[in-house]
Amino acid sequence: MREAAAEGKAAVQAWCQREGVPFMSSGGRLDATFATWAELSGEIEPLLTLAGRINDLVIVDRPDPGVPFTGRALDTALFSVGRPTLMVGHAVPYDLLDHVMIAWNGSQEATRLIGQSITLLHEATRVTVLQARTERFEEAPTADLCAYLRWHGIVAEAATLDIEGGTSVGEAILAEAERRHASMLAMGAYTHSRVREFLLGGVTRHVIEHARIPVLLAH
């Protein structure tokens, strides 16, 4: 654990040096960009819960059975913290907010994500609202969400995704994100029960296991 912490801190310091970002600064001006470092010891669930609740965004690795705590960290961030969670993999686009694609289904989880991420979406160069054509397609038109976003000064493009036979919704969403060169996918997590997704498979589970781009999630 000490070795992992030292490696992490060294990586952050190296990045700050490359990008000209002050490290361990007290901040001063609220519009300044700077980085700080803190280390907390203990069980991942209570530590991440308490730390995450006093921050705007929680960033975790994609779960990897070979890397300790990654699965527990994502579960805690989604189910206990109450803040948006950004899941990243091995590759992160240079411009994370170049093209944000929102997978919209009108669920409470997706609604919560949009409400908590408005400030982040403001910084996106391009926003696409994607809705898969499922049995509940007519219940939450993408045009309504685009209109809501426009009231917040965010111009979004609406798109419909047809699901071909034999293709799962999660698989189709990831393929469309890749086709549209999305830099980040945003979606509500586990709109069905987690047990059901574990037993039968589901959109969230497929995206978590197979996404090649960062995914912004909220439950």
Side-chain angles (χ1 to χ4, degrees), residues 5 11 69 83 88 117-118 122 127 135 145-146 149-150 168 215 219:
F69 309 119
R83 297 286 192 175
V88 298
S117 306
I118 284 292
H122 262 293
V127 176
E135 66 276 3
L145 178 58
C146 289
L149 293 173
R150 184 178 286 274
S168 70
V215 184
H219 179 65

Side-chain angles (χ1 to χ4, degrees), residues 2-22:
R2 292 191 184 97
E3 290 175 358
E7 290 175 2
K9 183 176 182 179
V12 171
Q13 288 177 312
W15 180 87
C16 288
Q17 186 173 11
R18 287 197 308 269
E19 301 296 330
V21 176

Side-chain angles (χ1 to χ4, degrees), residues 161 163 166-177 202-203 206-207 210:
L161 178 62
I163 308 298
T167 302
S168 70
V169 176
E171 184 180 357
I173 288 174
L174 290 180
E176 188 68 8
V203 178
H206 185 91
V207 168
H210 298 94

